[in-house]
Amino acid sequence: MQKITSPLRILIALILVILEGNAFAAADTSNNMVFVKGSCFDMGDVMDDVPPGGRLIDERPVHKVCLDDFYLDRHEATNAEFELFRPGYKKSRETLSYGRKVSPGDASPVVNVNWEDALNYCKAAGKRLPTEAEWEYAAREGG
C-alpha cells in the first residue's frame, strides 16, 4: 500500500476507509458501505493545471491505473467515532480556518489525523486505508 502523506490525502483516506477483504465486505454492505466497481483510469493531474515544479509535482506524469472492485464507507469518520478509538483526541475539534472551527461537533468529520493514527483507526475497525489510486478513483466518481 502506498503511504498517503499530505493532510488532505489523509483526510480523504480516512473518509474513504474500506474493508480489508471482499468476502467480508460483501456480507457487511448494510453497515454503511458502498460498492465501487473497479476499472482503469488516468491517474494524476489530468487537468494539467499544476505548473511545472509546482506544489503537486507528484501528480505527474499522468499514468493509467487499473483497480479491482472495492468497498468504501458511505460517510466520513466522525470526531465521536475517532475519539472512541483515541480518547481525549480534541485536535480535530479545535482546528481553525479563517477564525472558525472547521469540525467542532460529534458528527463532524475528523480532521488533522496523521497517517499512523488513520491506519491504526482503520485496523481497529477491521478495515484498511484505501490506496492513493482507490481514493482518487472514488473521488472522481469512477475515473
Side-chain angles (χ1 to χ4, degrees), residues 63-127:
H63 55 286
K64 186 175 201 140
V65 174
C66 295
L67 298 171
D68 293 330
D69 300 342
F70 57 100
Y71 286 85
L72 298 174
D73 274 354
R74 184 176 303 276
H75 302 286
E76 302 91 344
T78 66
N79 283 324
E81 291 167 336
F82 192 80
E83 289 165 10
L84 287 173
F85 162 73
R86 169 111 25 208
Y89 184 84
K90 301 294 181 197
K91 186 175 180 182
S92 178
R93 295 174 186 267
E94 297 167 358
T95 299
L96 297 177
S97 178
Y98 299 102
R100 298 181 68 197
K101 291 184 177 181
V102 296
S103 195
D106 282 349
S108 299
V110 67
V111 297
N112 283 336
V113 174
N114 66 39
W115 187 86
E116 288 80 13
D117 280 346
L119 177 69
N120 290 329
Y121 170 82
C122 294
K123 285 181 178 179
K127 302 176 182 185

Side-chain angles (χ1 to χ4, degrees), residues 124-140:
K127 302 176 182 185
R128 68 172 176 87
L129 284 173
T131 64
E132 183 175 0
E134 287 168 336
W135 73 255
E136 186 169 325
Y137 180 76
R140 291 185 187 185

